[in-house]
Amino acid sequence: MNTFLTFTIVGLVLGSVYAIAASGLVLTYNTSGIFNFAHGAQAMLGAFAYWQLRYGWGLPTPVALVAALGVLGPLMGLLLYVVIMRGMRDTAEVTKIVVTVSILLGMLAVSHWFWHPEAARTMAMFFGDRSRIELFGVAIRYHELICIAVAVLVAVGLRIMFTRTRAGVAMRAVVDDPDLLRLNGHDPDRLAALSWTMGSTLAVLAGILVTPINGGTLEANMLTLLVIDAFAAAMFGRLRSIPRTFAGALFLGLSATYVLAYFPTAWTWTSNLRVSLPMIALFVVLIVLPQDRLRGAVTRTRERYHVPTVRKAVIWAVALVVIVYAIRLLMVTSAITTLTIGMSFAIIALSLTLLTGYAGELNLAPVSFGAIATIVAYHFGISGTGLAAHLNLWGVVLGVAVTALVGGLIALPALRLRGLYLALATMAFGVFLSTMILRDTTRHELFGVEFSLFTDGNIAIPPLRVGPLDLGNDTVFLMSVTVIFAALGVALIALRNSGYGRRLAAMKDSPAASAMLGQSLVRLKLGVFTLSSAIAGLGGLFMAGAMGSVSSESFSIMVSLSLLMLTVVAGIGYVSGALFGGLMSGIGFAVIMVSFSNLASEQPELSGLWTFLGHVAAVSPALIGIGVAANPSGSVHQVVEGYRTLANAKPVLAGGVAVVLVSYVLALIGALDNWWFASITIATVFLLPVAGQLLMPEAVLGAEESQRRRPLNPERVGIDEPYGPEVREEIDRELGIAGCLSPSDRREQELITHG
């Protein structure tokens, strides 16, 4: 009985923290319609700030709490809403997800910037670990009592606010009909800002309370994922009901502690199951709860993707292979391996192009499917031993096939999910795989055969060897992965241009209309999930082979989220977007940060500047991701559109090609450093459309547009400058009299102008 009471108390405390964090999620979602994936990162950042105030600078506990909960928490929520969230009300679901994921990754980078991840930091419980009372023979510490009491107060307070107060009812109406709310005298923006302020404060409070309970050690990734467990509690209430959210949080907390208390100690996977339980519950709740009715597109998205013809795709595929080989001639061996890893990530990103870009379905854990293929190939696809060990073709085929099968099995229960719910389901699968499967390093026995899923927490994948093809050669490995990416890219474009691809596009645009036309949404979703999983598995297997040895961290959910964010930023509807997103996720920003670190070592007098720029580079992917709402089609789309208009300015194009070729030759003979060659090439590619507009405006923009953009010369107006409304408005602005004319005078001027 004493054991039951002890673990019950621990479970109630843990559930109380989940309830506090989940309540903040429910609060912000109810007033903005945005599910805040960065909620756990806010809790983490608040906990680190409290540690700095309380332990780093030695401030008294009340002062540190007031600063963290009364200043940092509200200010963080207010800034997030005013600067970012307010402009996302009518954006597509994938945009909302990517922006909040970008904030999560940005906050993690900021925490590593200010608090070095290798330094140990601990937080003690309020009033100390020994301050306790006894209840039915069980010792309860004051900190635990505070957690339970605060959770009850938060749940009761929010329930009363939402149902009994005018402000609370108005908050619930912000998402449903903000225009009607304005007619009733309320300001939707102010109410939403208030809710984000309160939600952020609750996140910070949860982070401060849970850290001592979880062992007291501050670690950014672990604390962020710990609070993400509150997602399951929020889904118990379907992001609406505070009482059901509170009950779900207590259920999760009690279940986790009872697993530790009563599962047999001989079960080596008990600890992993306890950690994975919230994600299992999240997946089950998402499947069991009733979903919204199938509807057409309520908000027309602003994404516009131009699908090339298969012929053009083949030309660009050949060009990619040639370009990669030319770049390889400039590289040392280590750089070739790095580029191979980047190309492997690009193959994984292709799975997102198919699934999200073409079909509109979300997957937040693409790299996790790569882990499945890697584990299968490691156990069943390696021939030889020692230095003669190699991966055989059977291992690749089996790994990809099993990954496709798992993708189909995951998709089957998730077929009825859409949008946010589907994203959360795939994220739950990714976190479960990391915490349950990839942590299983102990040996098991089944039918007399001993095995372990992820041996020693680190598995080595030797290079593939098929007949004369040996990927043990770095150049052969790089070119093989590049050819496979190019072939898959052409295949995806051919698929998109086929009848099946058009059916996927129709399902993405309007599932209801697609179903009314007789299409089987179940068959479409199952097929695209299976094919997407197979592509991700193949890319993950090549990634593991290029790395040589992989750990569970190689397939963490943060890696998947980063890949998704950068692919969306580049243009998730483009094969070239997958290439850019994969390269930047796999190697791009890491190479940039290593370069700044090397510069800091080589130039001690400027080490501060280079270190600062390295930290800025670490945060920059998140900053880029936050800006995706302004450009939902991606940066590749902008570049493509720029080069479309540049087609008429052939001298400018020829000049750009000449600059790149000359710099390449200089780099090849050693007269130019590779870093400078890369910088010149990137600058030329992105600035060439701008140069075309400046040097040949009429050819690039057309005569009318170039005339409109030409600076106004007031002395020539009426002579060789036509006098029109735009000219008149420009003159008014120059003279500072814009808006001075009455409407009747303006109408009279327009009549005179148009004769």
Side-chain angles (χ1 to χ4, degrees):
M1 184 65 179
N2 189 62
T3 301
F4 173 77
L5 287 176
T6 300
F7 280 95
T8 298
I9 295 298
V10 174
L12 289 174
V13 172
L14 184 60
S16 298
V17 178
Y18 285 160
I20 295 170
S23 298
L25 275 172
V26 173
L27 184 60
T28 53
Y29 184 81
N30 270 314
T31 54
S32 64
I34 298 172
F35 187 87
N36 185 15
F37 281 87
H39 197 70
Q42 288 178 261
M44 175 273 301
L45 212 56
F48 270 93
Y50 171 76
W51 178 91
Q52 185 65 48
L53 293 168
R54 174 65 183 87
Y55 299 95
W57 295 340
L59 296 179
T61 299
V63 176
L65 282 175
V66 169
L69 298 176
V71 178
L72 176 64
L75 185 61
M76 187 162 43
L78 182 63
L79 287 176
L80 281 178
Y81 178 76
V82 172
V83 176
I84 301 171
M85 303 303 173
R86 183 167 57 182
M88 292 175 54
R89 187 177 299 277
D90 296 325
T91 56
E93 194 70 55
V94 66
T95 301
K96 295 176 182 178
I97 291 173
V98 166
V99 169
T100 53
V101 165
S102 301
I103 296 170
L104 181 155
L105 297 174
M107 288 182 172
L108 282 173
V110 168
S111 71
H112 292 158
W113 185 344
F114 290 100
W115 297 281
H116 197 281
E118 294 181 4
R121 299 176 184 86
T122 56
M123 285 171 51
M125 293 188 174
F126 293 149
F127 303 105
D129 296 346
R130 297 184 179 181
S131 299
R132 62 186 70 187
I133 63 171
E134 282 201 7
L135 184 65
F136 302 112
V138 177
I140 307 175
R141 288 166 289 197
Y142 289 164
H143 185 97
E144 296 169 337
L145 288 174
I146 291 173
C147 292
I148 297 173
V150 169
V152 172
L153 289 175
V154 167
V156 173
L158 289 179
R159 175 66 177 173
I160 293 174
M161 184 187 75
F162 276 140
T163 58
R164 302 293 180 86
T165 67
R166 184 177 175 85
V169 174
M171 279 184 179
R172 293 163 58 193
V174 169
V175 173
D176 296 331
D177 198 332
D179 294 329
L180 183 60
L181 196 63
R182 288 190 184 92
L183 292 176
N184 282 274
H186 293 283
D187 184 353
D189 284 334
R190 186 171 60 189
L191 290 170
L194 176 62
S195 72
W196 274 84
T197 299
M198 296 171 61
S200 178
T201 304
L202 290 175
V204 172
L205 177 60
I208 294 173
L209 291 176
V210 77
T211 302
I213 295 172
N214 198 46
T217 302
L218 279 170
E219 201 281 317
N221 287 353
M222 184 179 67
L223 183 55
T224 300
L225 289 175
L226 184 66
V227 179
I228 282 178
D229 291 345
F231 289 3
M235 292 310 303
F236 268 92
R238 292 202 68 194
L239 297 172
R240 297 287 181 185
S241 171
I242 292 294
R244 286 203 298 268
T245 297
F246 187 80
L250 294 184
F251 170 78
L252 289 175
L254 291 171
S255 300
T257 54
Y258 289 157
V259 164
L260 282 182
Y262 296 108
F263 273 39
T265 55
W267 292 359
T268 56
W269 44 268
T270 298
S271 178
N272 293 341
L273 177 64
R274 177 215 174 252
V275 177
S276 306
L277 198 60
M279 291 299 104
I280 298 174
L282 174 59
F283 192 86
V284 172
V285 167
L286 287 169
I287 300 303
V288 171
L289 285 181
Q291 305 300 312
D292 298 331
R293 289 182 179 181
L294 197 65
R295 297 180 298 174
V298 178
T299 301
R300 306 300 295 182
T301 60
R302 293 176 285 138
E303 294 90 340
R304 295 294 180 268
Y305 301 122
H306 297 291
V307 183
T309 63
V310 177
R311 181 181 177 183
K312 285 185 178 179
V314 171
I315 294 173
W316 281 110
V318 173
L320 173 65
V321 174
V322 172
I323 290 170
V324 170
Y325 183 76
I327 293 174
R328 174 256 168 269
L329 297 178
L330 301 176
M331 291 181 169
V332 297
T333 301
S334 60
I336 296 173
T337 301
T338 302
L339 183 56
T340 305
I341 295 172
M343 291 302 302
S344 302
F345 268 92
I347 293 177
I348 301 176
L350 277 180
S351 69
L352 296 174
T353 299
L354 171 63
L355 186 65
T356 306
Y358 292 171
E361 303 297 320
L362 293 171
N363 179 12
L364 300 191
V367 179
S368 298
F369 289 97
I372 297 172
T374 301
I375 292 174
V376 172
Y378 173 75
H379 287 288
F380 301 102
I382 296 179
S383 302
T385 58
L387 296 177
H390 65 275
L391 181 65
N392 55 48
L393 183 60
W394 162 250
V396 175
V397 173
L398 183 62
V400 171
V402 171
T403 305
L405 178 62
V406 172
L409 293 175
I410 296 298
L412 277 175
L415 288 177
R416 58 197 292 271
L417 303 178
R418 296 180 301 278
L420 173 63
Y421 290 165
L422 180 58
L424 286 171
T426 55
M427 182 177 186
F429 167 73
V431 176
F432 166 78
L433 191 77
S434 296
T435 55
M436 186 73 188
I437 306 300
L438 302 186
R439 284 189 180 183
D440 186 20
T441 59
T442 57
R443 299 196 66 81
H444 308 280
E445 185 174 343
L446 184 65
F447 303 118
V449 178
E450 287 191 356
F451 69 95
S452 60
L453 292 178
F454 210 77
T455 308
D456 299 327
N458 215 315
I459 59 178
I461 301 295
L464 174 67
R465 188 189 304 165
V466 182
L469 181 66
D470 185 3
L471 300 193
N473 182 286
D474 297 316
T475 300
V476 174
F477 200 168
L478 171 62
M479 298 313 301
S480 298
V481 174
T482 303
V483 169
I484 289 172
F485 173 87
L488 286 174
V490 172
L492 287 187
I493 291 172
L495 182 145
R496 176 60 182 84
N497 285 312
S498 68
Y500 182 78
R502 287 189 287 273
R503 288 195 292 273
L504 291 179
M507 180 179 68
K508 175 185 178 181
D509 188 62
S510 178
S514 182
M516 288 181 64
L517 291 173
Q519 296 186 32
S520 172
L521 298 186
V522 172
R523 196 156 42 227
L524 281 174
K525 287 186 177 181
L526 184 60
V528 76
F529 258 100
T530 302
L531 184 55
S532 171
S533 301
I535 295 173
L538 181 63
L541 192 51
F542 281 129
M543 179 197 75
M547 290 181 174
S549 177
V550 290
S551 65
S552 59
E553 291 301 314
S554 305
F555 305 102
S556 73
I557 191 65
M558 296 303 175
V559 178
S560 290
L561 293 177
S562 177
L563 177 62
L564 171 67
M565 178 198 72
L566 289 169
T567 305
V568 172
V569 167
I572 201 165
Y574 291 103
V575 169
S576 51
L579 175 64
F580 179 85
L583 288 176
M584 295 308 294
S585 175
I587 61 170
F589 290 100
V591 170
I592 293 173
M593 287 184 287
V594 168
S595 298
F596 282 124
S597 177
N598 292 338
L599 287 171
S601 301
E602 294 171 2
Q603 302 178 18
E605 66 280 2
L606 296 175
S607 61
L609 174 62
W610 297 127
T611 301
F612 171 78
L613 293 176
H615 287 303
V616 171
V619 179
S620 58
L623 298 178
I624 296 171
I626 291 170
V628 75
N631 183 25
S633 297
S635 57
V636 169
H637 179 82
Q638 282 187 320
V639 174
V640 169
E641 289 302 306
Y643 276 88
R644 284 180 186 276
T645 60
L646 198 61
N648 297 323
K650 291 184 173 54
V652 177
L653 274 175
V657 172
V659 169
V660 174
L661 289 177
V662 169
S663 59
Y664 174 77
V665 171
L666 292 175
L668 193 61
I669 63 177
L672 186 68
D673 186 81
N674 288 349
W675 173 262
W676 283 107
F677 164 69
S679 301
I680 291 171
T681 302
I682 293 171
T684 302
V685 169
F686 283 98
L687 295 180
L688 204 58
V690 179
Q693 293 180 15
L694 294 175
L695 299 175
M696 301 182 67
E698 292 190 4
V700 174
L701 301 173
E704 184 177 346
E705 181 67 15
S706 62
Q707 180 74 18
R708 190 181 68 81
R709 293 192 180 191
R710 193 172 62 184
L712 178 66
N713 184 359
E715 297 179 357
R716 310 301 300 174
V717 172
I719 302 174
D720 55 7
E721 287 276 2
Y723 187 79
E726 295 84 1
V727 173
R728 186 182 66 246
E729 291 176 5
E730 180 67 23
I731 292 174
D732 287 347
R733 282 194 296 270
E734 290 291 333
L735 297 176
I737 60 173
C740 295
L741 295 179
S742 65
S744 60
D745 291 337
R746 286 195 174 275
R747 282 196 297 271
E748 183 178 348
Q749 275 200 5
E750 289 176 3
L751 289 173
I752 295 172
T753 301
H754 296 291

